[in-house]
Amino acid sequence: MSIKDWPTDERPREKLLQRGATALTDAELLAIFLRTGTPGKSAVDMARDLLSEYGSLQALLGADQQRFCQSNGLGEAKYAQLQAVLEMARRHFAEILQRGNALTSPDITRAYLSAQLRGYSYEVFACLFMDNQHRVIQWEELFRGTIDGASVYPREVAKRALFHHAAAVIFAHNHPSGINEPSQADRQITDKLKQALGLFDIRVLDHFIVGDGQPFSFAEHGLL
């Protein structure tokens, strides 16, 4: 059955307009991007096949050009469109969180961190440095690692925080696997960072893990 034959409230585009983008599944969001399916398959069916092929939305969005263009129904035009969308998202949230703007919305913070970190195939540890009114001073990617992890050094983080005269920080790192649950190592390094920065009266407001779905918040789960 073609999507146009579905009940109106089940069609991805109409569902987005009525209920907002957050109400859609990964497959439905991807279907809107794809616009059309292939013979015998709707755009949603095609989106589900692609997510199954890649394992996650993150893996699909982070695929290189050669890998992306090999998939059925995709090609250079779709790859170019996707890269443009991703870059617009990064620039949009970079403008919102430019130097001097206060962090007032957890949703904006999550979206910004996702746009910055979700495309990497290796782990990146980054930090938002802020003043005592939670206005953004600087975003920095501090450490890079492999697909399995990145070494984080509290002394270096403290040095950068002092360099920026930060009064508060938000940490973020990605999990290339797509799993956004914290590991024991994630919990331990967060505790060490909090202790190290506490010596200088620099508050750790949160630590986000970016994977598939919504980034995991240490603060919201009572882990800070």
Side-chain angles (χ1 to χ4, degrees), residues 125 152-155 157-158 169 171 173 182-199 202-207 218-219 221-224:
F125 182 92
V152 177
Y153 302 98
R155 179 184 297 179
V157 176
V169 298
F171 299 125
H173 77 278
S183 65
Q184 188 60 36
D186 293 334
R187 295 172 184 243
Q188 291 174 349
I189 193 60
T190 302
D191 288 340
K192 290 180 180 179
L193 289 167
K194 186 177 179 181
Q195 293 172 16
L197 293 178
L199 297 174
I202 300 171
R203 288 170 292 125
V204 176
L205 302 181
D206 211 334
H207 184 173
F218 273 62
H221 288 81
L223 298 178
L224 282 179

Side-chain angles (χ1 to χ4, degrees), residues 33-184:
F33 171 76
L34 294 171
R35 296 181 59 192
T36 60
T38 55
K41 288 186 177 181
S42 70
V44 173
D45 292 331
M46 182 178 167
R48 288 171 179 157
D49 288 347
L50 287 169
L51 291 174
S52 176
E53 176 186 344
Y54 281 84
S56 69
L57 181 61
Q58 177 188 8
L60 172 60
L61 298 182
D64 61 28
Q65 182 177 350
Q66 182 178 4
R67 173 75 174 88
F68 184 91
C69 293
Q70 287 175 346
S71 298
N72 185 37
L74 302 180
E76 290 185 349
K78 287 294 184 188
Y79 181 79
Q81 291 173 20
L82 177 60
Q83 296 310 306
V85 168
L86 293 174
E87 184 58 27
M88 283 192 292
R90 282 189 286 266
R91 295 185 188 189
H92 168 66
F93 292 114
E95 288 181 7
I96 291 175
L97 293 186
Q98 63 185 319
R99 185 182 182 93
N101 283 358
L103 288 177
T104 58
S105 169
D107 290 338
I108 290 294
T109 304
R110 277 190 168 90
Y112 173 79
L113 297 175
S114 294
Q116 294 296 321
L117 296 177
R118 190 162 270 161
Y120 289 118
S121 60
Y122 48 87
E123 193 163 302
V124 175
F125 182 92
C127 183
L128 269 172
F129 298 102
M130 293 165 288
D131 65 15
N132 58 9
Q133 296 182 20
H134 298 174
R135 292 176 300 194
V136 175
I137 298 173
Q138 186 68 40
W139 160 264
E140 284 191 10
E141 295 180 2
L142 299 176
F143 307 104
R144 295 188 175 195
T146 66
I147 193 171
D148 297 318
S151 297
V152 177
Y153 302 98
R155 179 184 297 179
E156 295 302 314
V157 176
K159 284 173 62 177
R160 296 307 298 165
L162 292 171
F163 173 82
H164 290 298
H165 304 289
V169 298
I170 291 177
F171 299 125
H173 77 278
N174 64 315
H175 279 177
S177 66
I179 300 172
N180 61 3
E181 293 291 326
S183 65
Q184 188 60 36

